[in-house]
């Protein structure tokens, strides 16, 4: 029970292991998770430590596993997670695992290269197929143009024309290719400018969306045909095509040759499709087989790397026969640690039992707070703000109540609280099944890890929702309102005409029968839900309640610090820190809480019109202004009491801030003189 309110009592222990048993013993301690190793080689470079090669090999295997996982994610292959994690492998198993992973990586990389090459060939053949089709369509369309459209130099390119023309020295040539659609506009402009308009460009969009074999992204391309005259223009066009990464394909001028070439391309595409399908199925089989063991391999490699990392923190004696380590461990778990070391010794086949020896030390031990599935979520919240010193009071048990309650103060709605309650109850009831599913979603794991926190927040939200009388932003009239409208007509000054024409009507509690004088049995009276000043009233109420709860929590925290000072026998902190803190917070904020509660108890609906403002009183308290006629005093002798409290709080400020630094400085100088005296 003591470990719940304070961190565990720790001891520094020297651990001596046989070199052959060191790996297995440290692996068993890692499974136990109750020890912290000290670095005995702090002055040694990481690359000069004994087991650095083994750590590098583990990192190499981690790289291979990340590569395999990435490939499986790209192919949307589910990696099964076993119910029980594997045991830490023995050192001799590292060689076998490394061989398997390297072979698997090599095979997969070779398959990927072959597949990429095949897809690149398939892409080129597909582009050539569409290019031949578009080229044939273009020539067939141009064959039907009027006779005067082409001169004698172009007619030789159009086989379908029947008009014979003599071959000329200036015969037109053409270049056909494929280019990315986004580059087409710039490509066309540059061709026109460089060639000075002495070309004829015809292009068409490919209807089929192609896949880039490297990035595996969809690309859109255009087929183009460029007609030119002369070798010089041909070289310019070739260079421009290379600059825009356009792929130029050989295209025969004869129609029958183009048809034969298209038929040959279709045959090659069909054969290539069959080969790509077989390659993909082989790749899938390799990945599926690897996926069955990927999780176990990953855990094994991480455990091996962790063990070798810890071994690098240890010393090896001069005989190279013993591993010497220093560990921090909880005193109450010494027997469990000894049993784990004995299991490691048996697993390694060693016959020499490990030796544990307590080491007296003045070093501050690490803080270890034992948790369970209920308290772990709250402990994580506390640790997020900072881990306490060794053997300090652990605020987690108090946070179990204060954190959900303060959340509920802000989120007070019994309807929304019931929804949270149902969700948290489902997670708690299905806890074992949800844990076994091992979901890898970060947001879900955050919610599931805080299921008990959400459960308590929902319960307190339901409670504060009834206090605020708020259910899905609607009030519940369970006990009947303490306010009545009828007496305002019979005994007050309301008329039927006012009821029909007035925009605002105000209930007067001074009129007999309007307010019964009895508060609503539980929470806020539902009549406030229809009041025009609902927000003003509720915000004031919630603000005052938040001030009371917040200051109470602050005072409680200061009292907890007193328990720590007493436990550590620190009189300086008690006299120069705790006492002035209590004086300051009590004289100012404690007095504010007193005024809030005093006003609640003194004034009611009948005399609320003359109630003074607490905020104005608190401001005037620091200004020593007590002559405000618009804000009457709250009680007799208020001036004397407030003046005394302010002066006392001001005295506590230098008391808290000035004296302790000088005392700490004197103690530090005294310790330095003592050390220098011992050296001399």
């Amino acid at each position: 029970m003591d470990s719940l309110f304070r961190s565990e009592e720790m001891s520094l222990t020297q651990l001596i292991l046989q070199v052959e048993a060191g790996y297995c013993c440290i692996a068993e301690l890692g499974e136990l998770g109750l020890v912290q190793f000290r670095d005995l080689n702090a002055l040694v470079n990481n690359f000069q430590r004994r087991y650095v090669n083994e750590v590098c090999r583990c990192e190499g295997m981690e790289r291979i596993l990340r590569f395999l996982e990435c490939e499986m994610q790209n192919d949307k292959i589910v990696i099964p997670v076993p119910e029980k994690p594997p045991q830490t492998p023995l050192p001799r198993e590292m060689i076998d695992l490394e061989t398997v992973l390297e072979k698997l990586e090599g095979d997969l990389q070779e398959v990927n290269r072959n597949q990429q090459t095949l897809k690149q060939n398939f892409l080129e053949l597909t582009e050539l197929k569409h290019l031949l089709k578009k080229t044939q369509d273009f020539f067939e369309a141009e064959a039907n143009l009027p006779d005067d459209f082409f001169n004698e130099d172009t007619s030789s390119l159009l086989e379908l024309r029947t008009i014979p023309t003599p071959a000329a020295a200036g015969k037109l040539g053409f270049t056909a290719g494929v280019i990315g659609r986004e580059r087409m506009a710039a490509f066309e402009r540059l061709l026109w400018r460089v060639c000075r308009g002495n070309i004829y460009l015809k292009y068409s969009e490919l209807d089929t969306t192609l896949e880039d074999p490297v990035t595996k992204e969809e690309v859109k391309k255009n087929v183009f045909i460029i007609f030119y005259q002369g070798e010089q223009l041909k070289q310019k066009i070739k260079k421009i095509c290379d600059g825009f990464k356009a792929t130029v394909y050989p295209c025969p001028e004869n129609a029958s040759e183009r048809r034969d070439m298209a038929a040959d391309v279709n045959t090659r595409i069909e054969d290539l499709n069959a080969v790509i399908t077989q390659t993909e199925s082989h790749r899938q089989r390799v990945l599926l087989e690897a996926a069955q063991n990927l999780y176990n391999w990953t855990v094994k490699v991480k455990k091996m790397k962790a063990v070798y990392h810890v071994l690098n923190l240890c010393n090896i004696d001069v005989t190279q026969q013993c591993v010497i380590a220093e560990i921090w461990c909880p005193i109450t778990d010494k027997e469990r640690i000894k049993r784990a070391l004995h299991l490691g010794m048996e697993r390694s086949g060693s016959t020499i039992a490990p030796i544990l020896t307590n080491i007296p030390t003045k070093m501050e031990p690490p803080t270890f707070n034992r948790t369970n599935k209920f308290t772990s979520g709250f402990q994580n919240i506390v640790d997020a703000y900072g881990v306490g010193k060794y053997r300090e009071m652990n605020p987690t048990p108090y946070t179990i109540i204060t954190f959900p309650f303060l959340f509920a103060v802000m989120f007070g709605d019994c309807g929304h609280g019931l929804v949270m309650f149902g969700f948290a109850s489902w997670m708690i009831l299905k806890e074992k099944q949800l844990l076994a599913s091992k979901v890898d979603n970060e947001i879900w794991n955050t919610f599931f890890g805080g299921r008990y926190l959400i459960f308590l927040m929902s319960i307190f939200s339901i409670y504060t929702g009834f206090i605020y009388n708020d259910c899905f932003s609607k009030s519940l009239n369970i006990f009947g309102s303490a306010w009545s409208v009828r007496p305002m007509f019979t005994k007050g000054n309301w008329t039927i005409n006012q009821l029909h024409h007035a925009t605002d009507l105000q209930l007067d509690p001074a009129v007999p029968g309007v307010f019964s004088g009895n508060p609503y049995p539980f929470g806020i009276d539902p009549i406030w839900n229809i009041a025009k000043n609902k927000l003003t009233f509720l915000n004031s109420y919630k603000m005052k309640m938040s001030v009371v709860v917040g200051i109470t929590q602050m005072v409680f925290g200061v009292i907890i610090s007193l328990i720590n000072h007493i436990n550590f026998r620190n009189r300086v902190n008690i006299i120069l820190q705790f006492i002035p803190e209590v004086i300051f917070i009590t004289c100012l904020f404690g007095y504010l809480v007193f005024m809030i509660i005093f006003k609640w108890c003194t004034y009611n609906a009948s005399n609320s019109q003359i109630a003074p403002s607490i905020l104005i009183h608190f401001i005037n308290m620091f200004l020593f202004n007590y002559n405000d006629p618009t804000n009457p005093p709250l009680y007799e002798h208020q001036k004397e009491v407030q003046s005394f409290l302010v002066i006392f709080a001001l005295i506590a400020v230098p008391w808290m801030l000035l004296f302790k630094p000088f005392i700490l400085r004197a103690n530090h100088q005294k310790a330095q003189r003592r050390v220098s005296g011992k050296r001399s």
Side-chain angles (χ1 to χ4, degrees):
M1 190 66 180
D2 180 60
S3 62
L4 181 64
F5 294 95
R6 287 190 185 278
S7 61
E8 289 281 347
E9 191 173 354
M10 309 288 285
S11 68
L12 182 63
T13 305
Q14 186 182 60
L15 176 61
I16 301 177
L17 304 168
Q18 191 180 8
V19 171
E20 292 77 8
Y23 179 93
C24 293
C25 289
I26 290 176
E28 292 297 329
L29 291 178
E31 299 288 350
L32 193 62
L34 289 173
V35 299
Q36 177 179 322
F37 284 80
R38 290 189 64 240
D39 190 359
L40 302 182
N41 301 311
L43 301 178
V44 180
N45 189 284
N46 287 334
F47 297 100
Q48 296 175 340
R49 302 198 180 192
R50 182 182 178 91
Y51 297 97
V52 64
N53 291 330
E54 285 77 3
V55 174
C56 291
R57 290 169 64 188
C58 291
E59 289 178 348
M61 289 189 284
E62 284 184 330
R63 179 192 57 79
I64 297 174
L65 290 169
R66 286 195 299 269
F67 165 71
L68 295 175
E69 185 179 3
C70 183
E71 292 293 318
M72 293 172 190
Q73 289 176 352
N74 291 338
D75 285 13
K76 297 181 180 179
I77 296 176
V78 179
I79 302 172
V81 179
E83 296 183 1
K84 187 178 179 181
Q87 196 176 17
T88 307
L90 295 173
R92 59 177 175 270
E93 297 178 24
M94 183 179 184
I95 301 174
D96 299 335
L97 181 58
E98 192 174 19
T99 304
V100 170
L101 292 178
E102 288 178 352
K103 182 179 183 301
L104 192 59
E105 181 192 25
D107 293 346
L108 195 58
Q109 285 180 342
E110 184 179 359
V111 171
N112 287 345
R113 284 193 298 269
N114 294 337
Q115 188 180 40
Q116 185 175 335
T117 304
L118 291 171
K119 286 188 175 181
Q120 182 65 38
N121 294 337
F122 178 79
L123 176 65
E124 293 173 356
L125 289 174
T126 305
E127 290 178 351
L128 180 57
K129 170 187 172 183
H130 287 87
L131 182 140
L132 292 171
K133 181 178 181 301
K134 294 290 182 180
T135 305
Q136 183 67 22
D137 293 343
F138 169 74
F139 281 124
E140 290 177 356
E142 296 297 338
N144 299 321
L145 290 174
D147 294 341
D148 57 351
F149 185 82
F150 291 98
N151 56 28
E152 67 276 4
D153 293 332
T154 63
S155 59
S156 62
L157 294 175
L158 304 176
E159 303 87 348
L160 300 179
R161 290 181 62 90
T162 58
I163 302 175
T165 56
K171 177 183 175 182
L172 288 180
F174 73 93
T175 298
V178 179
I179 189 173
R181 191 170 299 174
E182 69 279 359
R183 297 192 179 101
M184 191 65 222
F187 179 67
E188 184 179 8
R189 284 196 302 270
L190 189 61
L191 279 172
W192 181 262
R193 291 174 182 175
V194 171
C195 300
R196 302 177 182 272
N198 295 317
I199 61 165
Y200 177 65
L201 173 66
K202 183 72 176 180
Y203 65 88
S204 176
E205 295 181 355
L206 282 180
D207 301 330
T208 306
T209 304
L210 305 175
E211 180 184 342
D212 191 309
V214 178
T215 62
K216 296 185 178 179
E217 295 179 354
E218 291 186 350
V219 290
K220 297 179 180 179
K221 294 190 175 184
N222 288 2
V223 173
F224 64 87
I225 305 175
I226 306 170
F227 293 92
Y228 55 86
Q229 187 176 26
E231 187 66 25
Q232 189 175 3
L233 280 179
K234 179 180 179 181
Q235 295 301 323
K236 288 183 179 180
I237 291 170
K238 185 176 182 301
K239 290 180 180 180
I240 293 173
C241 291
D242 292 340
F244 278 87
K245 297 182 179 179
T247 308
V248 178
Y249 292 98
C251 184
E253 293 185 7
N254 188 275
S256 61
E257 291 179 3
R258 284 197 298 269
R259 283 191 291 269
D260 294 341
M261 188 175 185
D264 180 59
V265 167
N266 287 330
T267 304
R268 290 171 62 187
I269 287 176
E270 291 177 2
D271 295 341
L272 203 57
N273 260 327
V275 176
I276 290 175
T277 303
Q278 292 177 0
T279 305
E280 183 64 31
S281 62
H282 173 66
R283 183 173 180 274
Q284 285 284 330
R285 286 195 300 271
V286 172
L287 289 176
L288 286 171
E289 185 179 352
Q292 302 301 318
N293 300 312
L294 185 69
Y295 181 83
N296 285 340
W297 288 341
T298 304
V299 174
K300 286 180 178 180
V301 171
K302 286 182 177 179
K303 287 185 176 182
M304 283 192 294
K305 183 181 176 181
V307 171
Y308 284 120
H309 173 71
V310 171
L311 283 170
N312 279 333
L313 304 179
C314 305
N315 272 336
I316 308 294
D317 71 333
V318 292
T319 63
Q320 302 292 312
Q321 297 296 321
C322 295
V323 176
I324 302 173
E326 291 184 5
I327 59 173
W328 291 104
C329 60
I331 293 177
T332 55
D333 292 316
K334 282 287 185 69
E335 291 301 321
R336 295 178 62 187
I337 293 171
K338 289 179 180 178
R339 287 197 296 270
L341 291 172
H342 185 70
L343 286 174
M345 180 193 71
E346 290 181 346
R347 190 179 175 205
S348 65
S350 174
T351 56
I352 301 176
I355 301 173
L356 284 172
T357 308
N358 289 334
I359 303 175
T361 180
K362 292 185 178 180
M363 290 188 296
E364 183 175 352
T367 302
F368 174 62
N369 295 304
R370 201 182 300 273
T371 59
N372 52 39
K373 64 180 182 180
F374 178 75
T375 61
S376 60
F378 299 95
Q379 187 67 55
N380 290 335
I381 293 174
V382 173
D383 291 342
Y385 290 94
V387 180
K389 292 174 62 178
Y390 174 66
R391 297 296 289 168
E392 271 190 347
M393 288 288 291
N394 185 14
T396 299
Y398 315 106
T399 307
I400 293 173
I401 299 299
T402 58
F403 187 88
F405 180 73
L406 290 176
F407 166 83
V409 170
M410 299 181 291
F411 189 77
D413 189 301
C414 56
H416 292 104
L418 282 171
V419 175
M420 288 177 58
F421 179 80
F423 176 59
S425 301
W426 173 78
M427 286 194 292
I428 293 173
L429 293 175
K430 300 290 184 179
E431 184 176 283
K432 292 183 179 179
Q433 295 93 316
L434 295 174
L435 279 173
S437 63
K438 298 185 184 297
V439 180
D440 196 25
N441 185 283
E442 184 179 357
I443 297 177
W444 164 254
N445 289 333
T446 301
F447 278 109
F448 184 71
R451 57 194 179 278
Y452 293 102
L453 173 62
I454 298 174
F455 181 76
L456 289 179
M457 289 194 300
S458 65
I459 292 176
F460 282 113
S461 293
I462 295 171
Y463 170 74
T464 53
F466 281 114
I467 291 290
Y468 298 156
N469 202 348
D470 203 356
C471 180
F472 295 114
S473 301
K474 296 294 182 181
S475 295
L476 303 175
N477 192 1
I478 301 174
F479 304 103
S481 176
W483 295 78
S484 179
V485 177
R486 187 177 298 276
M488 291 299 297
F489 290 96
T490 58
K491 301 178 183 179
N493 55 358
W494 284 11
T495 61
I496 297 298
N497 187 42
Q498 283 181 314
L499 184 64
H500 288 291
H501 296 91
T503 56
D504 296 320
L505 294 172
Q506 183 174 350
L507 294 173
D508 187 0
V511 176
V514 173
F515 181 62
S516 65
N518 299 319
Y520 195 68
F522 192 85
I524 301 294
D525 197 299
I527 200 171
W528 286 104
N529 190 52
I530 61 173
K532 185 178 180 180
N533 61 338
K534 171 188 175 182
L535 285 179
T536 305
F537 169 76
L538 290 180
N539 287 345
S540 175
Y541 167 75
K542 293 177 182 179
M543 181 187 69
K544 291 182 175 65
M545 190 179 71
S546 300
V547 168
V548 173
V549 173
I551 293 174
T552 303
Q553 188 179 19
M554 289 167 61
V555 173
F556 179 73
V558 174
I559 294 173
I560 292 295
S561 70
L562 173 64
I563 300 174
N564 284 330
H565 299 329
I566 295 174
N567 181 65
F568 296 129
R569 295 181 177 85
N570 197 332
R571 294 182 180 179
V572 173
N573 283 352
I574 295 175
I575 298 172
L576 299 180
Q577 183 175 325
F578 170 75
I579 294 177
E581 282 178 351
V582 170
I583 292 173
F584 186 83
I585 196 172
T586 305
C587 292
L588 298 183
F589 302 106
Y591 178 68
L592 177 61
V593 173
F594 163 76
M595 287 196 294
I596 292 172
I597 298 175
F598 184 84
K599 184 178 178 180
W600 281 346
C601 298
T602 304
Y603 296 91
N604 52 36
S606 60
N607 59 357
S608 60
Q609 299 293 334
I610 62 171
S613 171
I614 294 177
L615 180 61
I616 300 300
H617 271 306
F618 199 60
I619 294 173
N620 290 336
M621 175 179 173
F622 293 96
L623 301 177
F624 294 97
N625 181 15
Y626 300 101
N627 299 320
D628 188 356
T630 61
N631 200 43
L634 199 63
Y635 55 89
E636 292 185 10
H637 307 294
Q638 183 176 351
K639 175 181 178 180
E640 291 79 6
V641 172
Q642 292 186 170
S643 299
F644 171 77
L645 293 177
V646 171
I647 293 171
F648 211 27
L650 292 175
I651 292 172
V653 173
W655 183 0
M656 181 170 45
L657 300 179
L658 294 181
F659 297 109
K660 185 178 176 181
F662 289 109
I663 293 176
L664 293 177
R665 181 171 180 272
N667 291 338
H668 177 67
Q669 291 177 343
K670 184 179 179 181
Q672 283 187 327
R673 287 194 297 269
R674 189 183 302 115
V675 171
S676 60
K678 288 181 179 179
R679 290 177 180 175
S680 60

